Amino acid sequence: MAEASRYQRSLLAAGAFYEPPSVRNKGRRLAARRISASPFPVQFVDWEDGAIDIPDHSVDSVVTTWTLCTIPDVAQALRENKRVLKKEGAYFFVEHGQSPDIRVARLQGWWNPLQNKLAGGCHVNRPMEQLISEAGFKIEQLDNFYMAGPKIFSYMFCGWARMEGGID
């Protein structure tokens, strides 16, 4: 769990967040105290109609935490992350997704339709590393592990990436 605390520090050092509407208000209330004490500006960015309302190549960091599992068009969300990042910007992520253990992955596939209905559209079986790479990010660091709890929900992808080949 030492790796997780390093990522928590990295995430606190970043600067922009976006969240699906299903968690937006609760997440903002939970984060308010830490944000008010932050030594740098933190901006929540709403995801509306498949777009982030921020100019192209204008932010230093994008952070997603337990977000990509819920966004219906995850490829579009990642394209938007890439669009708003400066050329030298960083994308930090903490996401859960598809386990490399074939038995767990089969259970995730079986459970996923019910998970979507019970948990606001959450997908437990998205291949996060693949999705992030296919969106044109070069993953600089990635730690994978199971958090405490049932394995079908708890396989983690924690890391950071840069834009591969610079700005499109």
Side-chain angles (χ1 to χ4, degrees):
M1 209 41 106
E3 292 297 322
S5 63
R6 179 166 40 123
Y7 281 103
Q8 290 167 353
R9 287 192 301 275
S10 297
L11 293 172
L12 289 173
F17 299 81
Y18 73 85
E19 309 159 301
S22 62
V23 298
R24 184 176 301 151
N25 293 332
K26 184 175 183 177
R28 290 179 186 186
R29 281 192 309 273
L30 291 171
R33 186 171 51 93
R34 282 193 171 184
I35 289 170
S36 67
S38 173
F40 49 84
V42 175
Q43 176 185 357
F44 284 98
V45 179
D46 295 333
W47 168 264
E48 302 294 338
D49 300 322
I52 301 171
D53 187 20
I54 293 181
D56 293 358
H57 317 300
S58 61
V59 300
D60 296 314
S61 301
V62 173
V63 178
T64 60
T65 57
W66 293 278
T67 303
L68 297 180
C69 65
T70 306
I71 295 174
D73 188 347
V74 70
Q76 174 62 21
L78 288 164
R79 282 191 297 274
E80 282 294 287
N81 288 353
K82 189 174 178 187
R83 180 187 65 78
V84 302
L85 275 173
K86 292 178 181 176
K87 181 178 182 179
E88 64 282 359
Y91 169 43
F92 297 90
F93 53 90
V94 176
E95 301 287 345
H96 71 109
Q98 186 177 49
S99 169
D101 181 326
I102 193 69
R103 293 170 299 196
V104 175
R106 276 193 212 123
L107 286 171
Q108 288 175 314
W110 173 83
W111 177 258
N112 199 61
L114 189 55
Q115 177 75 5
N116 287 178
K117 288 178 178 44
L118 296 175
C122 173
H123 294 76
V124 294
N125 63 347
R126 285 189 170 163
M128 295 299 179
E129 180 178 4
Q130 176 184 335
L131 291 167
I132 292 166
S133 295
E134 287 176 354
F137 286 101
K138 180 180 184 294
I139 296 175
E140 298 287 344
Q141 183 171 357
L142 177 63
D143 292 322
N144 299 107
F145 55 92
Y146 288 98
M147 287 183 20
K151 286 188 172 185
I152 65 170
F153 305 117
S154 63
Y155 190 71
M156 298 301 300
F157 297 79
C158 297
W160 71 279
R162 296 193 185 277
M163 291 190 287
E164 185 129 65
I167 298 171
D168 291 336

